[in-house]
Amino acid sequence: MPENPRIKQKPVFRFAARDDAPLILEFIKGLAEHEKMLAEVQATPELLEHWLFDKQTAEVLFAVMDEKEVGFALYFSNFSTFLGKAGLYLEDIFVLPEYRRRGIGKALLAKLACIAVERGYGRMEWACLDWNEPSIDFYRSIGADDMSEWTTYRLTGSALTKLAEANNEANS
């Protein structure tokens, strides 16, 4: 008998292992495609292995249903000087399209909240694209506050290199 998608079966969770790097990349590409940013993905399984497992700069949690990974969250710790505590920063969360509207995204966020509380973190944060109204509505429904008074800034590529080079020249 086919599964009724309206019945919300609870996922189980597992942390990613080194040999999951290709699967992690599949989820990253799925998210990038959803956000219409697939051309920007430069990650490779080798880069993910290096940064996630050799350097241990972030962690990945999978949501699993029927022995299949159906969602993922990539996160790392940050620090709040005002709270004087670490926090959990959710870089990416993605649920396969055919598994959406089953509570998997909410279950992933709840599991991350548990991890944050268990580790004594003071907060959990993430960013959301302005146009993603369904996600914004969902985040508000679980009690998340938007930080509309804050603007995110980013240095990448040549701008990042240029600033670093300027610092190196000033200090030589």
Side-chain angles (χ1 to χ4, degrees):
M1 176 187 293
E3 181 181 300
N4 182 343
R6 292 185 180 169
I7 297 173
K8 292 186 178 177
Q9 177 186 11
K10 291 186 179 185
V12 296
F13 301 99
R14 75 170 183 85
F15 290 98
R18 179 179 294 275
D19 62 350
D20 288 316
L23 179 60
I24 296 167
L25 184 56
E26 284 181 38
F27 275 97
I28 291 169
K29 287 181 176 180
L31 174 63
E33 186 173 1
H34 173 72
E35 294 179 344
K36 299 168 183 50
M37 300 172 77
L38 188 56
E40 295 185 34
V41 176
Q42 297 178 22
T44 64
E46 295 77 21
L47 281 171
L48 294 172
E49 281 188 43
H50 176 74
W51 288 101
L52 296 176
F53 302 103
D54 296 338
K55 297 276 189 181
Q56 298 180 343
T57 57
E59 297 176 72
V60 172
L61 183 68
F62 287 113
V64 181
M65 293 182 71
D66 301 319
E67 299 180 23
K68 176 184 176 168
E69 289 78 7
V70 299
F72 99 123
L74 188 147
Y75 61 97
F76 51 88
S77 62
N78 59 9
F79 193 83
S80 167
T81 54
F82 287 13
L83 294 176
K85 293 182 174 188
L88 187 149
Y89 187 84
L90 174 60
E91 179 68 20
D92 287 329
I93 185 169
F94 183 72
V95 175
L96 296 175
E98 62 270 26
Y99 285 88
R100 292 186 188 150
R101 305 196 61 78
R102 297 186 190 187
I104 296 167
K106 185 174 183 179
L108 269 166
L109 287 170
K111 181 65 175 175
L112 292 172
C114 288
I115 291 168
V117 169
E118 288 167 4
R119 293 179 182 179
Y121 290 175
R123 65 185 180 198
M124 190 167 116
E125 296 178 303
W126 60 93
C128 182
L129 291 167
D130 290 340
W131 59 260
N132 195 343
E133 286 296 328
S135 292
I136 292 168
D137 292 343
F138 168 67
Y139 297 145
R140 288 178 177 155
S141 79
I142 62 169
D145 294 320
D146 66 59
M147 304 295 290
S148 56
E149 70 274 14
W150 293 85
T151 300
T152 301
Y153 291 90
R154 180 176 291 164
L155 275 175
T156 61
S158 62
L160 177 64
T161 303
K162 183 178 178 180
L163 184 59
E165 287 172 352
N167 179 68
N168 291 340
E169 290 170 9
N171 291 323
S172 53

